[in-house]
Amino acid sequence: MAYNKIETYDEKITNDLIHHYKSSIELLGEDVSREGLLKTPERVAKAMQFLTEGYQMDAKAILEGARFTEAYSEMVIVKDIELYSLCEHHMLPFFGKAHIAYIPNGYITGLSKLARVVDVFARRLQVQERMTHQILDAIQETLQPLGVGVVIEAQHLCMMMRGVQKQNSVTTTSAFSGQFEDGRTRNEFMRLITK
Ligand SMILES: [Zn+2]
């Protein structure tokens, strides 16, 4: 994963994190001075800053920066957007796919921007349910379409690794607004993302 996407790591924050991760690793019974672990606190500090960089990003600004006038008013669907996030209860990954649809009402956005909006909300400590609604709200408020549908399918390592859940079971969450509250539109969306 490209941790170097963060161009400048705040030095004070990085150093504080390194200090805390060193302590954490020691408290877990490891020897932070052994060769394999020497640079681990620094790597973890940078990885965690990358994986939570969504706090510094503004989903609405991303969508507004690529909002175009367009008369198209059929359903726009972007499916299978890869998603990697961290559950806020255990700080362990959950990962899967997001499917987004909207029906334009005068404005469209760049398709890649929808994927970036997913990253904005995925790269922070999250619960899948809230993330689903945050993505929907950002699109609804900036593009003001006739409706938005968001479906997220994800597997949660905090459940899988602890044996709370059968391996490979997938949690699905969804949020709908406007015309997607109508069964026919919603069903069309669901049919298009499952085939
Ligand atoms: Zn969890």
Side-chain angles (χ1 to χ4, degrees):
M1 208 177 285
Y3 300 130
N4 58 5
K5 268 192 193 163
I6 294 186
E7 288 177 2
T8 49
Y9 287 91
D10 183 292
E11 205 178 318
K12 164 136 179 35
I13 292 174
T14 303
N15 287 336
D16 283 356
L17 283 168
I18 290 170
H19 171 76
H20 288 293
Y21 281 120
K22 260 186 199 162
S23 305
S24 299
I25 292 167
E26 274 169 349
L27 286 168
L28 293 170
E30 259 291 1
D31 172 9
V32 283
S33 65
R34 77 177 171 83
E35 195 188 357
L37 290 179
L38 273 180
K39 294 207 77 182
T40 298
E42 184 185 342
R43 288 191 205 99
V44 177
K46 289 186 172 173
M48 292 305 289
Q49 286 177 90
F50 172 75
L51 296 173
T52 57
E53 72 175 350
Y55 294 120
Q56 265 74 251
M57 296 160 78
D58 182 347
K60 290 182 190 169
I62 289 168
L63 291 171
E64 274 162 6
R67 187 176 63 178
F68 309 107
T69 308
E70 185 62 62
Y72 187 80
S73 60
E74 299 297 317
M75 190 185 299
V76 177
I77 300 183
V78 182
K79 66 176 197 173
D80 296 333
I81 300 169
E82 269 185 79
L83 169 152
Y84 299 93
S85 189
L86 292 171
C87 93
E88 68 182 18
H89 304 125
H90 305 91
M91 291 176 68
L92 287 171
F94 65 95
F95 59 95
K97 286 171 177 173
H99 313 288
I100 298 174
Y102 69 100
I103 300 171
N105 184 22
Y107 297 107
I108 58 165
T109 189
L111 298 179
S112 66
K113 303 303 175 197
L114 296 176
R116 282 195 66 203
V117 167
V118 170
D119 281 343
V120 169
F121 293 112
R123 288 191 191 147
R124 46 183 88 189
L125 304 185
Q126 267 294 11
V127 295
Q128 187 178 328
E129 294 86 343
R130 184 173 64 232
M131 176 167 54
T132 309
H133 282 279
Q134 285 173 327
I135 294 168
L136 180 133
D137 290 344
I139 297 166
Q140 185 65 51
E141 288 167 24
T142 50
L143 300 182
Q144 298 180 343
L146 298 174
V148 184
V150 179
V151 172
I152 295 177
E153 303 170 292
Q155 293 180 281
H156 292 248
L157 284 186
C158 67
M159 296 173 88
M160 298 164 75
M161 292 174 80
R162 297 186 309 144
V164 178
Q165 189 186 37
K166 287 215 189 310
Q167 296 288 321
N168 301 319
S169 83
V170 174
T171 303
T172 304
T173 50
S174 57
F176 302 103
S177 67
Q179 291 190 1
F180 286 86
E181 287 167 33
D182 176 71
R184 281 168 305 177
T185 306
R186 193 165 63 225
N187 289 343
E188 186 190 347
F189 171 45
M190 298 305 280
R191 188 176 55 77
L192 289 166
I193 62 173
T194 49
K195 75 175 181 190

